[in-house]
């Protein structure tokens, strides 16, 4: 139930223009302070996961690791996506509230 809610929130934030995808664009959003939450696919490479763990830890951006790249991509109406950033605080709070009651994802504050 809440799993589907989070994925629908991602789609909603994409349609609202409050979501960016792609490794370099997400890194730029983290550095500039625009990223309010970063989501990395659970099937991303260990190197990619470590890179975003480190970067989000440095800039104090909440990081969520979970789902596979196909589910993330289909939730926002795109092909497979490995990393994305929510750039709106309201959407980030809605997602983190749902993640708090889920066990399928790893949530790192």
């Amino acid at each position: 139930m809440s799993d589907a809610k989070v994925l629908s929130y991602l789609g909603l934030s994409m349609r609202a223009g409050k979501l960016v995808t792609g490794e370099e664009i997400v890194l730029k959003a983290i550095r500039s302070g625009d990223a309010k939450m970063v989501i990395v696919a659970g099937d991303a490479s260990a190197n990619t996961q470590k890179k975003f763990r480190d970067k989000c830890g440095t800039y104090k951006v909440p990081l969520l690791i979970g789902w596979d790249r196909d589910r993330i991509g289909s939730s926002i109406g795109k092909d497979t996506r490995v990393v994305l950033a929510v750039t709106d605080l309201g959407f980030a709070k809605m997602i983190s509230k749902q993640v708090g009651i889920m066990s399928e994802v790893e949530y790192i504050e």
Side-chain angles (χ1 to χ4, degrees), residues 6-7 9-10 13 19-22 26 30 35-42 44 48 52 56 61-68 72 75-76 81-86 91-92 95-96 99 105-107:
V6 172
L7 294 174
Y9 288 159
L10 289 178
S13 61
L19 191 122
V20 294
T21 67
V26 170
I30 293 169
K36 307 303 181 210
M37 173 182 279
V38 174
I39 299 168
V40 177
T48 299
F52 284 97
C56 288
V61 176
L63 173 67
L64 197 149
I65 299 175
W67 305 291
D68 59 42
I72 292 173
S75 74
I76 61 170
R81 291 293 188 261
V82 174
V83 62
L84 41 94
V86 178
F91 282 117
I95 291 168
S96 62
V99 168
V105 297
E106 175 185 346
Y107 184 62

Side-chain angles (χ1 to χ4, degrees), residues 2 5 10 12-13 16 18 22 25 27-28 30 32 34 37 39 42 58-59 61 69 73 75 80:
S2 58
K5 264 189 177 178
L10 289 178
L12 189 62
S13 61
K18 304 296 183 185
I25 296 169
L27 285 172
K28 185 177 177 184
I30 293 169
S32 69
D34 291 338
M37 173 182 279
I39 299 168
T58 300
Y59 286 89
V61 176
R69 59 186 74 204
S75 74
T80 60

Side-chain angles (χ1 to χ4, degrees), residues 42-55:
D43 59 351
S45 71
N47 188 31
T48 299
Q49 288 185 18
K50 182 184 181 328
K51 178 191 300 184
F52 284 97
R53 258 194 190 101
D54 294 347
K55 191 62 76 176

